[in-house]
Amino acid sequence: MPRMTFILQDGSCREVDAPAGLSVLEIAQRNGVELEGACGGSCACSTCHVIVGEAWFAKLEPASEEEEDMLDLAFGLALTSRLGCQIRMREALDGLVVTLPAATRNMMVDQ
C-alpha cells in the first residue's frame, strides 16, 4: 500500500498509509491530520490547501481551472500549492510529501 507524509504546522511529520483511490483530504481525515475540507471535498473552498513537496509536484495530474480558482483564495499560497481533495493517491505517488500551511481561510463560515 502506498504511504505518504504530512508535515504538520508544528514542523513534525506524520507518515500514514495512503490507499490508492483516496484523496489526500480523505487520507488526512482518516488519520486525524487537521486538514479541514469545509466543502466536503467538492472543490468549492480552499480549506484543504496543501503545499506539495517539489519532487512530487510534477508527478501530479495538472490542476483544473476550477481548482486554480479555489487556490486563489488559499492562505499562504506557494508555487506547489494544491487542494488535497483534488490529489488522488496512486502507486506512482508512494512516498508523497505534503506540508500543511500555517493557516487556512474558510470563506464558507458565516461571519
Side-chain angles (χ1 to χ4, degrees):
M1 173 180 300
R3 294 190 54 83
M4 68 171 292
T5 301
F6 290 94
I7 301 175
L8 307 178
Q9 292 166 328
D10 66 3
S12 65
C13 296
R14 184 173 305 162
E15 186 177 338
V16 299
D17 288 335
L22 291 183
S23 71
V24 167
L25 173 61
E26 292 167 318
I27 294 163
Q29 291 174 339
R30 285 184 176 201
N31 289 282
V33 173
E34 293 186 32
L35 190 58
E36 186 174 354
C39 70
S42 63
C43 197
C45 73
S46 63
T47 61
C48 67
H49 166 227
V50 295
I51 301 165
V52 178
E54 286 187 33
W56 295 100
F57 190 74
K59 295 180 182 185
L60 300 178
E61 297 293 325
S64 67
E65 187 175 330
E66 181 181 28
E67 181 182 359
E68 292 286 350
D69 289 345
M70 288 297 107
L71 281 169
D72 287 342
L73 305 174
F75 179 84
L77 199 61
L79 290 175
T80 59
S81 289
R82 293 294 300 269
L83 296 181
C85 68
Q86 298 301 296
I87 302 170
R88 292 264 168 214
M89 282 304 296
R90 57 187 197 278
E91 291 294 330
L93 294 179
D94 185 26
L96 176 69
V97 177
V98 300
T99 300
L100 302 185
T104 61
R105 215 179 264 150
N106 187 345
M107 308 292 258
M108 298 182 77
V109 175
D110 293 331
Q111 297 191 14

